[in-house]
Amino acid sequence: MSVASVAAPSTSVVDAIKEKARRLSVLSIMATTAAGSGHPTSCMSAAELVAGTFFYAMKFDPKNPNSPDFDRFVLSKGHAAPVLYAALAEAGVFPLSRLMTLRQFSSELEGHPTPRIPGVDAATGSLGQGLSVGSGLAIGQRMDKKSARVYVLMGDGEMAEGQVWEAAEFAGHYKLDNLTVLADVNALGQSEPTMYQHDMEIYRKKFEAEGFATEVIDGHDVAAVLSALDRAKATKGRPQAIIARTIKGHGVDFVAGKEHWHGKAFSKEELAKALTEIGPAVDVPPDPGKSYARASLPQPPDFPAPAPPDYAEGKQVATREAYGYALKRLGAVNKEIVAMSGDVKNSTFSEFFGDAYPDHFYQAYIAEQNMVSVGVGLAAFGKVPFCDTFACFLARAYDEVRMAAISRSNINLCGSHCGVSIGEDGPSQMALEDIAIFRAVHSSAVFYPSDAISAERLTEIMARRPGINYLRTSRPKTPILYSKDEKFPIPGFKVLRQSAQDKATVIGAGITLHEALKAADELKGQGTAIRVIDLYCVKPIDGKAIAEQLAATGGRLVTVEDHWPQGGIGEAVLSALAGAGAAPAKSRLLAVNAMPHSGKPEELIDAFGISAKHITAAVREII
């Protein structure tokens, strides 16, 4: 391909960036030696790329390094964190002395980057996610019509990850020409040489095939690095990939290009030896111990209340459909919402939002890992991302969700088609693990609506709540249970059947709540009253409030869920009760009890132990 013609940088500029690169290498080695651990050789291969980006190409405000008006840098190869920290310190974000606190308990400079550090938008310790995050940042810049750019530094080892190519095809498809990839191809992984080593043509062809403007350079030739960065800036209509041939441990003969140095800090003696080659050392004063962590991270923006849900009396609506209506209502009052779907927008009904606000909707296609990490980038830019797919397929993106929590990100996930109640599609499409998965994520909330009103109201709550929010929606249509003015506090639950004569408390959500209501009617006809609770918020749970309901029914408890027993509603309720210092006198935890198969929803609900019949039997057993 032809590349844009740009003027060569001056000799004085090249020399200045060479010195910056040398200092970044030296500081990375010094910091990891002081820490006694880290990845100095991974930093050394990238020093010229980082120096050229930070001190030549980027528009960067050290007083506000996460400003939407300036360029962003994502270190996808997160183990090279010291070179990023060194660049931030050299730029003036925090003093050089802070580098010597690397990896200490009291320091914000952790072994891999997190957004506790000014200038960092996402945690990147799990490899292969940075290009997705960068794509989300680039979309945010484009939506807000900013002239800023995003730079993503990647390693060749992580380019074995499939998510990298999910992200590349996404960025190429959407022509994110404000996005530049810097590929640090040093040919060495952790345990052995990388798959393609220094075959630069393979990387060039892969990025070019995804729609990138590509260029192969010597990553230690500073003049070539700066010229490539200039050409990237001049490129329109395509993202750019600068594929740099580098040497791991560059500049120090006893480690340069040598295996088995990954993740090994230099001893003091090795540091002294290295400095004879790339020295002199950088003068770093003692650190006074002051933290430079970010005071706050982005929070979801406030917005006016949307129009209330409006459903005809007696209408049956699937909660997955109500999610789409809710997004559309929210889009009218919150211009920061961005929705993405994993090629299921006509099943999750996010197409309602996409049709109304096409500039705020992105088709993520069948690439769930990329979708979630793009959401992290969008959230870091101040957007309110909603990502949807079938709940079972979010399991593919569990690491991305875990990393989103480490990033202190605010992302909203909707998983539809949960449980055996989806019917004929069979077990490969039935999410039976998702409650357990999302309960285990730090900062998460797990919402499980049972009707259209609660689905809409919980979707609105998600748009306002920081952290990881998960909405579990069902395929079948269900009756409306609540008025349009009903409130759904977090944590919270609703008591739908209640009397002074209640003999047991039955807790359900989604499809099983409707089965519990059927069981209550059947038992009432037989002279037995039960209390029925809609646990619309599975995490967090107010254990004390649940204990009060349970105490009123003699301590007898039945939980019922369209989920495996492990990690689901039953265990969540028991855990909350234990936290409140309470325990049921008698209990039955009903859940899907065998590997399901295709069938009609009502057949499957009954066959696998969660129908009204089974609830009725469980109540009889404990009273």
Side-chain angles (χ1 to χ4, degrees):
M1 57 152 284
S2 61
V3 293
S5 177
V6 295
S10 68
T11 300
S12 61
V13 168
V14 171
D15 288 344
I17 300 301
K18 282 182 179 177
E19 174 59 13
K20 281 292 186 185
R22 187 196 70 80
R23 287 175 64 89
L24 297 186
S25 278
V26 169
L27 288 167
S28 298
I29 299 169
M30 292 173 62
T32 50
T33 296
S37 64
H39 301 75
T41 58
S42 299
C43 297
M44 295 157 76
S45 70
E48 287 81 7
L49 296 172
V50 175
T53 303
F54 262 87
F55 303 107
Y56 178 77
M58 284 179 70
K59 295 183 300 179
F60 186 73
D61 179 5
K63 294 182 179 179
N64 189 10
N66 298 87
S67 168
D69 295 318
F70 292 94
D71 295 342
R72 311 292 264 262
F73 182 89
V74 179
L75 180 69
S76 190
K77 51 176 281 183
H79 53 284
V83 76
L84 169 61
Y85 301 161
L88 292 171
E90 285 281 289
V93 175
F94 46 78
L96 286 178
S97 64
R98 198 64 184 160
L99 294 175
M100 297 305 117
T101 70
L102 174 70
R103 293 177 168 238
Q104 292 181 12
F105 180 79
S106 60
S107 177
E108 67 278 9
L109 302 185
E110 300 184 52
H112 293 75
T114 76
R116 292 178 63 205
I117 301 163
V120 175
D121 286 303
T124 51
S126 185
L127 293 173
Q129 300 181 21
L131 183 52
S132 300
V133 172
S135 296
L137 288 164
I139 289 172
Q141 291 173 340
R142 174 186 283 184
M143 290 178 68
D144 287 0
K145 296 179 171 54
K146 302 292 184 182
S147 61
R149 302 182 61 79
V150 180
Y151 296 89
V152 179
L153 177 65
M154 304 178 64
D156 52 338
E158 70 175 319
M159 285 193 279
E161 284 281 3
Q163 183 178 349
V164 169
W165 305 108
E166 288 183 5
E169 64 187 4
F170 181 88
H173 174 72
Y174 286 110
K175 297 178 170 49
L176 300 180
D177 57 5
N178 55 339
L179 175 66
T180 300
V181 168
L182 301 137
D184 176 12
V185 183
N186 64 34
L188 290 177
Q190 174 171 323
S191 61
E192 65 180 40
T194 55
M195 189 181 298
Y196 303 124
Q197 299 183 47
H198 275 139
D199 190 337
M200 309 303 287
E201 270 302 284
I202 290 181
Y203 294 110
R204 185 191 65 76
K205 289 177 180 177
K206 285 166 77 82
F207 275 106
E208 197 165 80
E210 300 298 356
F212 279 64
T214 60
E215 183 175 357
V216 175
I217 64 169
D218 177 348
H220 300 305
D221 180 339
V222 170
V225 171
L226 303 188
S227 292
L229 286 165
D230 281 336
R231 283 189 285 271
K233 278 189 177 183
T235 299
K236 303 300 180 185
R238 288 191 287 177
Q240 312 88 44
I242 299 170
I243 304 165
R245 188 187 192 279
T246 62
I247 302 297
K248 198 164 185 174
H250 172 71
V252 174
D253 185 63
F254 68 87
V255 294
K258 304 289 198 306
E259 292 187 55
H260 311 306
W261 278 95
H262 183 91
K264 292 183 179 179
F266 293 2
S267 67
K268 290 181 179 179
E269 294 74 21
E270 289 164 341
L271 170 61
K273 183 179 178 182
L275 289 175
T276 64
E277 295 188 56
I278 62 168
V282 177
D283 184 24
V284 179
D287 185 67
K290 176 186 175 182
S291 173
Y292 291 88
R294 287 169 72 180
S296 62
L297 293 172
Q299 297 292 298
D302 195 15
F303 56 91
D310 183 20
Y311 296 102
E313 186 175 349
K315 183 177 177 63
Q316 294 212 353
V317 183
T319 53
R320 62 182 174 124
E321 188 176 2
Y323 165 74
Y325 289 126
L327 279 185
K328 183 177 178 181
R329 293 184 207 280
L330 288 169
V333 294
N334 186 340
K335 301 306 181 184
E336 303 304 327
I337 289 178
V338 183
M340 289 184 287
S341 182
D343 194 28
V344 293
K345 65 180 182 178
N346 55 342
S347 288
T348 60
F349 291 93
S350 56
E351 64 181 0
F352 295 165
F353 176 90
D355 291 344
Y357 307 103
D359 292 341
H360 286 244
F361 180 86
Y362 284 82
Q363 176 59 265
Y365 301 98
I366 304 172
E368 295 84 3
Q369 295 173 327
N370 179 64
M371 177 176 70
V372 170
S373 295
V374 169
V376 172
L378 284 164
F381 201 78
K383 301 301 179 185
V384 182
F386 279 83
C387 307
D388 65 69
T389 186
F390 288 9
C392 57
F393 302 141
L394 281 171
R396 292 179 175 177
Y398 187 64
D399 184 45
E400 288 71 17
V401 175
R402 179 185 72 89
M403 291 301 296
I406 296 171
S407 295
R408 284 74 166 173
S409 188
N410 308 315
I411 61 170
N412 305 299
L413 305 168
C414 175
S416 72
H417 291 62
C418 60
V420 300
S421 58
I422 73 164
E424 291 86 347
D425 280 347
S428 68
Q429 314 297 293
M430 297 172 178
L432 292 165
E433 307 84 7
D434 55 314
I435 295 177
I437 285 172
F438 283 99
R439 280 184 62 221
V441 173
H442 178 74
S443 80
S444 69
V446 179
F447 304 129
Y448 192 2
S450 299
D451 82 334
I453 301 293
S454 58
E456 290 215 31
R457 292 306 191 188
L458 292 170
T459 302
E460 179 184 345
I461 287 168
M462 291 165 70
R464 299 183 188 277
R465 181 189 177 276
I468 312 298
N469 297 308
Y470 175 59
L471 185 75
R472 188 182 208 232
T473 62
S474 303
R475 184 180 191 179
K477 294 180 183 293
T478 51
I480 303 293
L481 298 173
Y482 300 107
S483 75
K484 66 180 182 180
D485 299 319
E486 191 78 30
K487 304 298 182 185
F488 294 86
I490 306 302
F493 55 84
K494 298 291 182 183
V495 182
L496 298 188
R497 294 285 192 278
Q498 183 176 9
S499 76
Q501 291 76 42
D502 292 340
K503 300 298 183 184
T505 295
V506 176
I507 299 177
I511 290 299
T512 62
L513 177 68
H514 296 275
E515 294 298 313
L517 293 172
K518 293 177 190 175
D521 291 340
E522 181 180 339
L523 286 164
K524 182 178 180 180
Q526 299 168 5
T528 299
I530 63 171
R531 189 157 300 192
V532 177
I533 288 177
D534 174 6
L535 192 67
Y536 63 81
C537 182
V538 181
K539 180 189 176 185
I541 295 180
D542 186 342
K544 182 178 178 181
I546 291 283
E548 291 172 357
Q549 297 294 328
L550 188 59
T553 62
R556 292 177 287 270
L557 172 68
V558 175
T559 64
V560 54
E561 58 192 303
D562 197 356
H563 188 274
W564 295 126
Q566 293 80 14
I569 289 173
E571 291 188 357
V573 169
L574 291 182
S575 177
L577 289 171
K586 293 183 178 180
S587 62
R588 295 290 185 273
L589 309 185
L590 303 184
V592 177
N593 55 25
M595 181 58 68
H597 49 73
S598 294
K600 296 186 182 304
E602 58 274 15
E603 293 175 321
L604 296 168
I605 289 168
D606 188 53
F608 295 99
I610 57 173
S611 67
K613 179 182 74 176
H614 293 280
I615 298 169
T616 299
V619 170
R620 287 175 178 149
E621 287 174 8
I622 62 174
I623 65 173

